[in-house]
Amino acid sequence: MSTTTSPSPPDPLDGIAETLNRTASAAIAQATAGLSPATVLQAFSDWGLHLALSPGSQLQLGAKAVRKSARLLDYAVRSARDDDAPLAIEPLPQDRRFSDPAWRQAPFNLVSQAFLLNQQWWHAATTGVSGTARHHEEMVAFATRQILDVLAPTNFVATNPVLQQRIVETGGKCLIDGFQHLLEDMQRLLRGLPPAGAEAFRIGENVASAKGKVVYRNRLIELIQYEPTTDKVRPEPILIVPAWIMKYYVLDLSPENSLVRWLTGQGFTVFMISWHNPGSQDRDLDMEDYRKMGPMAALDAVTTITGAPQVHAVGYCLGGTLLSIAAAVMARDGDDRLASVTLFAAQTEFSEPGELGLFIDEGQLNLLENMMWSRGYLDSSQMGGAFQILKSNDLVWSHVLGTYLMGEREPMNDLMAWNADGTRMPYAMHSQYLRRLFLDDDLAEGRYKVDGRTITLSAIRKPLFVVGTERDHVAPWRSVHKIHLLTGAEITFVLTSGGHNAGIVSEPGHKGRHYRVLTREADGLSYDADEWTQRAEHKQGSWWTEWGDWLVHHSGEPGAPPPTGAPDKGYAPLAEAPGHYVLEH
């Protein structure tokens, strides 16, 4: 007699329960700007309980508090006799809040030193507590830093000597100007307008102004083919796959810092994907849709229009991750149309994603998915807010101090205007990206499937040029560097000065730029990030020239430029660059 039990019938309340759960979770997400209160509570509970059960750690923290108080008292005595007395504690190299000489004058020197000592104590209190889960420890330490940043003496009139000097110098007018800036920014925010000054940068006029035509369009992309600016071009065209979390024209900003213009000036035929800005109707677009309708559809168009058998493919940020997936699928399926692969600040291994990983765990994703479920997409304001919090000193509080208290609005530039021109992420795609890549690291660990079959980056044997940036808080360079562990292909890795965007937009002649570079031959020995830094050659200037030489080395001899579009093959020019999708808001 069979002992198998038949499955229980579905509960008639399943649908209602799921809808209620999702609706409640979405409402919480709206109220908390997408931050899961359950995750935060778990983290602080884990840390607090383990600290409460660790009398040794409590003893150490008590002793640290006494020693730091003694250091502050000692400094107070020494500074009373000598204005130039050595500080009790130096700020971290990246902390420029107390760099003004006014902070060395009493009593503000004691205020700043007390704050820095207190900050150091809280770092000790929130790290190294035995038994606390690593993710929870990182969350608590991060949250504590955010609270301390809010309470920093630089943010208050009574404790900021530089601000007090500014008030005296302007007769208080700076506060009036700051309040007017605040009102203007709030009005623009409520009306959905770009920040003040961004209107000076007009798409198709003084940004995204490289000449070209849209030669292909589908539901998800427009493909721009740029006009050649040299008599002869290399036979391998360049196809650029930007991230859809941003608009493509970060690579075609002003004429003087446009990567597109620079590439065409070097004798390359350049194609650029411009992504559609999705809305609620696009909620079901997933990663596979982005691969097929993005780089694969573009590659078909590029090879058909130019007649080139191979293409230099370039991916930036999330576009680079997608390009890596596409390249692995092509290698698996015997598609040999790539001459090389270039990745700008693109992660392929997500075990150490940096502080952005603080926002990625099961509870956080559940909340985020339900918020996207209710809308059909993730809005750019949520993503931008997360990125700003990661660098709150530079991106939030310095802005509050300078604009709303000092009354000095920072002049808008092309990169800032572009950064304010946000996009959305469709529900299905972003959920898959966060779960399969960020949370589960399926691509690096050999579990990522396309068309029901597993892909692996080890199948990629085309030469790779990979760029990381020193101050990247979106794709930390040490995470980007881990591609060395995933493929035996030849890899030229560049570590450049700057951050996620400014490090990439690094035209020749840009002051203060430098980079390190080292090539690992195919199947050669790999080094960890620290040893790589020691072995890499240090160079001054823009890494663009290094990349340009590398592209030439992997290209054929120049010849006549290809036609613009191919009307007889279904790729007739549809519009002038920059096209229509880039204008979607």
Side-chain angles (χ1 to χ4, degrees):
M1 183 175 64
S2 174
T3 59
T4 302
T5 58
S6 59
S8 57
D11 190 320
L13 294 178
D14 281 349
I16 296 175
E18 181 181 4
T19 301
L20 287 175
N21 290 341
R22 285 184 175 274
T23 303
S25 185
I28 293 172
Q30 293 286 355
T32 61
L35 188 65
S36 169
T39 297
V40 175
L41 182 60
Q42 281 181 332
F44 273 91
S45 297
D46 187 12
W47 166 75
L49 287 172
H50 281 98
L51 181 59
L53 297 174
S54 303
S57 297
Q58 296 173 36
L59 178 63
Q60 286 181 314
L61 289 172
K64 285 179 184 290
V66 172
R67 289 197 299 270
K68 293 184 186 303
S69 298
R71 285 169 61 186
L72 182 62
L73 179 60
D74 174 68
Y75 173 71
V77 173
R78 289 187 290 106
S79 63
R81 298 194 299 262
D82 180 7
D83 289 342
D84 296 323
L87 298 174
I89 180 174
E90 293 283 351
L92 295 172
Q94 68 271 22
D95 189 351
R96 301 183 297 274
R97 289 175 292 184
F98 306 108
S99 59
D100 193 283
W103 287 102
R104 296 299 297 265
Q105 304 300 314
F108 304 107
N109 56 348
L110 298 181
V111 171
S112 63
Q113 289 289 282
F115 172 79
L116 291 173
L117 288 166
N118 187 43
Q119 181 178 259
Q120 191 180 62
W121 184 88
W122 273 106
H123 175 74
T126 55
T127 57
V129 177
S130 180
T132 306
R134 178 182 175 183
H135 181 63
H136 289 162
E137 178 183 279
E138 292 172 343
M139 286 194 66
V140 170
F142 178 79
T144 304
R145 286 200 306 275
Q146 302 310 304
I147 295 171
L148 289 171
D149 286 345
V150 173
L151 300 176
T154 48
N155 298 335
F156 301 95
V157 174
T159 54
N160 188 332
V162 182
L163 178 56
Q164 292 177 9
Q165 290 174 5
R166 174 72 177 164
I167 293 172
V168 172
E169 291 169 356
T170 63
K173 185 175 182 300
C174 64
L175 296 177
I176 298 174
D177 292 341
F179 185 66
Q180 291 176 337
H181 293 331
L182 176 62
L183 290 178
E184 180 183 14
D185 289 350
M186 290 178 63
Q187 289 173 352
R188 284 176 172 270
L189 183 65
L190 292 173
R191 294 165 62 186
L193 298 176
E199 59 275 1
F201 298 92
R202 297 174 296 278
I203 295 175
E205 296 182 28
N206 54 358
V207 293
S209 61
K211 299 298 182 183
K213 295 186 183 298
V214 175
V215 293
Y216 173 70
R217 180 186 294 127
N218 62 27
R219 175 185 175 185
L220 200 51
I221 72 165
E222 288 182 331
L223 182 66
I224 301 170
Q225 180 181 359
Y226 292 97
E227 293 181 2
T229 57
T230 55
D231 293 334
K232 293 184 177 182
V233 298
R234 298 285 172 175
E236 298 84 2
I238 293 176
L239 170 62
I240 302 178
V241 186
W244 50 96
I245 197 174
M246 58 176 77
K247 292 193 175 179
Y248 84 84
Y249 66 92
V250 65
L251 301 176
D252 182 27
L253 284 172
S254 302
E256 62 272 11
N257 60 5
S258 166
L259 180 63
V260 168
R261 289 175 184 261
W262 185 82
L263 285 170
T264 57
Q266 303 303 304
F268 289 98
T269 301
V270 179
F271 290 80
M272 176 77 74
I273 287 178
S274 175
W275 297 98
H276 163 58
N277 194 3
S280 299
Q281 72 277 9
D282 302 306
R283 61 184 298 124
D284 294 325
L285 289 173
D286 59 14
M287 286 289 290
E288 188 62 1
D289 292 321
Y290 270 78
R291 183 185 70 86
K292 289 181 176 179
M293 289 191 281
M296 299 313 299
L299 187 60
D300 290 341
V302 171
T303 53
T304 300
I305 291 169
T306 64
Q310 290 193 317
V311 173
H312 293 303
V314 182
Y316 186 4
C317 184
L318 182 51
T321 305
L322 182 66
L323 176 60
S324 301
I325 293 171
V329 176
M330 293 173 69
R332 182 196 68 185
D333 297 344
D335 187 337
D336 195 41
R337 288 181 292 169
L338 296 183
S340 72
V341 176
T342 296
L343 304 177
F344 297 160
Q347 292 168 284
T348 52
E349 204 274 359
F350 293 84
S351 64
E352 295 181 274
E355 288 190 329
L356 197 58
L358 296 172
F359 300 96
I360 309 297
D361 59 25
E362 193 64 47
Q364 186 64 52
L365 284 188
N366 178 66
L367 193 79
L368 196 59
E369 286 175 337
N370 287 329
M371 181 173 67
M372 292 190 294
W373 168 84
S374 67
R375 293 179 173 180
Y377 58 83
L378 181 68
D379 191 74
S380 61
S381 61
Q382 265 91 32
M383 293 182 288
F387 294 147
Q388 285 187 326
I389 288 175
L390 294 180
K391 297 184 68 176
S392 59
N393 273 345
D394 294 332
L395 300 179
V396 178
W397 301 115
S398 64
H399 173 73
V400 170
L401 175 62
T403 306
Y404 304 140
L405 296 177
M406 294 282 196
E408 300 172 326
R409 189 183 287 283
E410 184 179 2
M412 182 67 64
N413 61 37
D414 52 7
L415 190 60
M416 294 165 62
W418 162 84
N419 192 53
D421 190 8
T423 59
R424 294 175 289 274
M425 306 278 269
Y427 163 58
M429 183 286 305
H430 200 49
S431 177
Q432 287 180 344
Y433 170 67
L434 293 177
R435 283 195 175 276
R436 297 177 66 184
L437 297 176
F438 247 99
L439 187 63
D440 298 333
D441 207 10
D442 283 352
L443 181 60
E445 296 184 8
R447 294 188 299 269
Y448 197 96
K449 292 186 177 182
V450 175
D451 295 331
R453 298 165 59 201
T454 302
I455 63 169
T456 171
L457 296 182
S458 63
I460 300 174
R461 303 301 296 177
K462 300 298 181 180
L464 293 162
F465 191 96
V466 183
V467 183
T469 65
E470 291 177 345
R471 299 194 305 275
D472 200 325
H473 61 293
V474 178
W477 79 266
R478 291 173 181 272
S479 176
V480 174
H481 181 270
K482 287 189 175 184
I483 193 171
H484 286 83
L485 307 177
L486 304 178
T487 175
E490 172 198 309
I491 298 177
T492 297
F493 190 86
V494 165
L495 176 61
T496 182
S497 55
H500 188 70
N501 298 319
I504 301 302
V505 183
S506 183
E507 71 283 358
H510 195 125
K511 291 183 179 179
R513 294 303 190 197
H514 63 265
Y515 63 95
R516 292 182 176 90
V517 58
L518 183 66
T519 296
R520 186 201 70 183
E521 299 299 331
D523 298 317
L525 183 64
S526 296
Y527 304 106
D528 65 23
D530 292 327
E531 188 170 357
W532 182 93
T533 304
Q534 296 172 2
R535 290 177 175 269
E537 182 181 1
H538 192 278
K539 296 185 179 183
Q540 297 298 320
S542 168
W543 63 267
W544 287 13
T545 56
E546 187 83 30
W547 183 44
D549 292 341
W550 183 88
L551 285 171
V552 168
H553 177 71
H554 291 89
S555 300
E557 292 300 315
T564 299
D568 58 328
K569 298 176 181 177
Y571 294 105
L574 303 174
E576 295 291 329
H580 302 306
Y581 283 174
V582 72
L583 302 176
E584 295 176 329
H585 294 289

